[in-house]
Amino acid sequence: MPRIDLHLHTTYSDGSLPPAEVLLLAQKAGVSALAITDHDIVDGIPEAIEAGRRLGIEIIPGIEISSRYRETELHILGYFLDWQDPLLLPRLARLRVGRHVRNPRIVEKLNDLGLALTYEEVKARAGSDSVGRPHIARVLMEKGYVQSAKEAFDRYLGEDKPAYVPRELPEPVEAIAWIREARGLPVLAHPTWVKESAEGLFKLCEKLKGEGLMGIEAHYSTHKPQQTADYLNLAQRLDLLVTGGSDFHGLTKPDIEVGLGRGGLQVPEKLLEPLRKAAAVS
Ligand code: AMP
Ligand code: ZN
Ligand code: FE
Ligand code: FE
């Protein structure tokens, strides 16, 4: 069965491979269409479209925006958006500025903990100005302070860990509105990360739908079959579109493969048609 992958990161944010190399892996995995969803930046999309033309893979323009939800984050994906929209671009640029306000404070905390690194070293690992904690994790790995990105998050960078510093994030309703204003489809990313009961997640999605949310990422690398079934059911009850993707990052999430996730991911190609239809009238 043909598969698609609607959640992938490249060197334009915190992935470790450029768009063209991600597409080569997609081709090997039998992926017919994919969305590049870099954090807070759309600059990798033209390169992906170009490589997609060569390889015969459809590219759906995408984005991933983190928003603040209580003490944690809600990630909102956007699809089929007009990625050159003059309202969207400065909004994304502001989010990237927020990263440069937070990141040096994380580096300072790490320095206070006795780890020697500079923000210059972190920025040197980034392929654009969308610099994130995974770039900091990479420096910590290269210096031998941790063995993996996961260890960097578990020991230092994750929420509630000693070097955690929150960055200024939009409300979910803002991220949703920005995507809608760029004629895109806003989708709740990886619902498994939402720290809510099943009923809490339902209520949250109901509220977000009232604010413009249009879909939910039911298929995701780390979703167990029962979770996927529950999220598909939630989508049906709330009349939300269904999407799915691997959240491929390359080195910083070495267990996740393009199109295949941890091996069992199968995002059906038939999900695309309803998305296309919704995008055509958005
Ligand atoms: P930031 O957007 O800079 O706050 O960094 C958050 C990003 O780090 C997320 O979007 C993930 O891509 C990545 N991330 C979060 N937790 C982990 C983890 N345990 N291991 C590797 N990457 C992670
Ligand atoms: Zn990421
Ligand atoms: Fe995410
Ligand atoms: Fe992601």
Side-chain angles (χ1 to χ4, degrees):
M1 205 176 11
R3 52 158 49 86
I4 60 174
D5 188 339
L6 302 181
H7 190 158
L8 300 145
H9 297 273
T10 76
T11 42
Y12 282 87
S13 65
D14 55 11
S16 65
L17 295 178
E21 287 183 40
V22 173
L23 263 88
L24 280 176
L25 294 176
Q27 190 185 43
K28 277 194 200 132
V31 168
S32 63
L34 65 78
I36 299 293
T37 54
D38 275 315
H39 302 282
D40 305 338
I41 194 160
V42 290
D43 295 10
I45 292 172
E47 226 174 284
I49 290 174
E50 173 58 34
R53 262 195 213 113
R54 278 201 314 274
L55 299 173
I57 297 175
E58 178 183 352
I59 305 300
I60 292 133
I63 188 79
E64 184 173 20
I65 299 176
S66 308
S67 67
R68 176 78 54 218
Y69 176 64
R70 299 190 178 154
E71 301 305 306
T72 71
E73 293 182 8
L74 276 191
H75 292 187
I76 308 291
L77 295 157
Y79 294 114
F80 289 104
L81 72 181
D82 175 358
W83 54 277
Q84 288 157 317
D85 181 77
L87 274 179
L88 179 69
L89 295 177
R91 286 169 169 162
L92 297 180
R94 262 201 309 281
L95 294 177
R96 301 196 296 272
V97 169
R99 292 174 169 279
H100 292 299
V101 172
R102 175 204 60 175
N103 294 340
R105 297 178 57 206
I106 296 180
V107 170
E108 244 173 65
K109 284 198 167 189
L110 291 167
N111 292 160
D112 290 345
L113 291 163
L115 311 187
L117 75 161
T118 66
Y119 191 42
E120 293 311 311
E121 291 172 317
V122 174
K123 283 191 285 186
R125 269 74 181 176
S128 79
D129 67 340
S130 185
V131 184
R133 282 179 283 166
H135 298 109
I136 299 173
R138 226 169 282 165
V139 175
L140 295 180
M141 281 166 71
E142 283 173 27
K143 296 198 167 203
Y145 290 124
V146 295
Q147 298 304 309
S148 65
K150 183 178 181 307
E151 188 188 342
F153 276 84
D154 289 348
R155 284 179 64 186
Y156 302 112
L157 304 174
E159 282 165 23
D160 306 325
K161 301 300 179 205
Y164 179 70
V165 180
R167 66 187 161 97
E168 202 177 309
L169 292 176
E171 296 294 314
V173 63
E174 293 178 284
I176 289 169
W178 296 346
I179 292 165
R180 288 292 287 263
E181 284 173 29
R183 289 160 298 285
L185 310 176
V187 170
L188 177 66
H190 38 65
T192 180
W193 290 20
V194 182
K195 295 183 182 86
E196 284 287 358
S197 63
E199 191 49 32
L201 179 66
F202 180 87
K203 290 226 170 77
L204 173 65
C205 287
E206 197 173 36
K207 175 172 165 284
L208 295 177
K209 187 182 170 175
E211 298 173 347
L213 187 78
M214 296 179 73
I216 180 166
E217 189 177 43
H219 304 273
Y220 186 71
S221 290
T222 64
H223 287 171
K224 298 182 180 77
Q226 185 58 51
Q227 286 180 296
T228 304
D230 290 346
Y231 300 139
L232 289 172
N233 183 260
L234 189 157
Q236 197 168 24
R237 284 166 68 200
L238 285 173
D239 192 24
L240 287 169
L241 294 159
V242 171
T243 72
S246 63
D247 209 359
F248 176 80
H249 279 73
L251 272 184
T252 39
K253 295 189 183 177
D255 56 332
I256 306 289
E257 284 184 65
V258 176
L260 308 168
R262 287 178 174 165
L265 187 71
Q266 166 69 52
V267 186
E269 197 179 39
K270 66 168 197 268
L271 296 181
L272 266 185
E273 203 45 43
L275 294 172
R276 268 200 208 96
K277 281 199 180 124
V281 295
S282 71

